[in-house]
Amino acid sequence: MNTPMLRAALVLGLLSAIGPFAIDMYLPALPAIGVSLEASTAEVQMSLMAFMAAIAVCQLFYGPISDMIGRKPPLYFGIALFSIGAIACALAPSIEWLIAARFVQGVGACAAMALPRAIVRDGYTGADAAQLQSLLMLVFSVSPILAPLAGSLMVQFGDWRTIFWAIAIIGVLGLLLIAFFLKETRPASERLESSVGSAMRGYGLLLKDRNFIGLSLIGAFGMSSFMAYLANSSFILIDHYHLTPTLYSVMFSINAVSFIGVSQLTGVLTRRFGLNTVVRASVSGFIVVMVALAALFLAGIDQLAVLAVLLFIGYGFLGLVVPTTAVLALENHGSIAGTASALMGTLQMVTAAIVMGVVGAFFDGTAKPMVIGIAACAIIAFALTRLTIKGTAGQPVAAE
């Protein structure tokens, strides 16, 4: 592992974590926000969905813009807007204000979530790109591991508004990270043919690319299963299983450790078996575990230990699915990496928002609707894998 790759993983991982930090850190505070603002569970969850919806839509703009003017200017704008949105959340007098402020925050956050994938593609392909993606996820793991714990401590000793002041400070630190530690990977010579027209043509090309869409959706339904857990876990674990906010944060972090830890095997496994084989095997393991979990809960086995163990195993398999599908999808689109990364992110976020909305509509205070939704995502991801990945070699499907 060379020093530039390690430095890139550290910087891009921390930038990628800024948006998720704004999600994970306030999860333990969702019930408290509902009480403070006299809002229902559905209304409080809408603040999360507004954030996700903004990320989904606005990536479509950041990607092509970064192809035209470089990666750093959109990052500056996005993270500055993210910090402003966080301050607005901290000052929210009502749930409606909070939802609107979260949308603004999401508009800014998506720059830091979409562009690191394009920056990786600017400099790496194949197994190297897969390894860098997995390292990026390792640094990124600071969010799901530490953010809920930090948020629960703030709720215990302070106020939920303190969380958003802290998030605003994190945004400012992100701006400093870009200024001093991130180099521009889209030089002016490579932007000459990038324009609004080329962006539209690029989106048209990508939408016609069966492999790109299929691989993006495999990752999308995989991530949606985690988002379904993310949106419902605090209500289920705190209200249904009666965990304290701190214990909830610990359990949430354990699942994140599984996801991130197994992802670190991506580079080794893809070099030995090939990207296609790793995707197929990991999706197969994912569906077996998540369908088993749903079956147990449908049979009436509503136990926290069963939920914790099977989610830990299932999200371990998911840790291999996400980086490998991202690398395969972007492999043949280096000239429009920003546009391709943006469309991939939009597909993932739109899918996640729909899944979260459907699962939320059936929420009954227990874990059953959530685990059924997770299993459904696993089934769809498995079906898409069977339709999309037919080769056996280590090269991308499109190149076989």
Side-chain angles (χ1 to χ4, degrees), residues 130 282 290 292 311 327 334 336 358:
S282 54
M290 294 314 194
L311 284 179
V327 170
I336 51 170
V358 171

Side-chain angles (χ1 to χ4, degrees), residues 206-218 329 343 347 384 388:
L206 293 167
L207 289 170
K208 295 175 184 177
D209 187 336
R210 174 180 171 275
N211 291 317
F212 174 83
I213 297 297
L215 289 162
S216 296
L217 289 176
I218 294 167
L343 183 57
L347 290 172
L384 287 167
T388 305

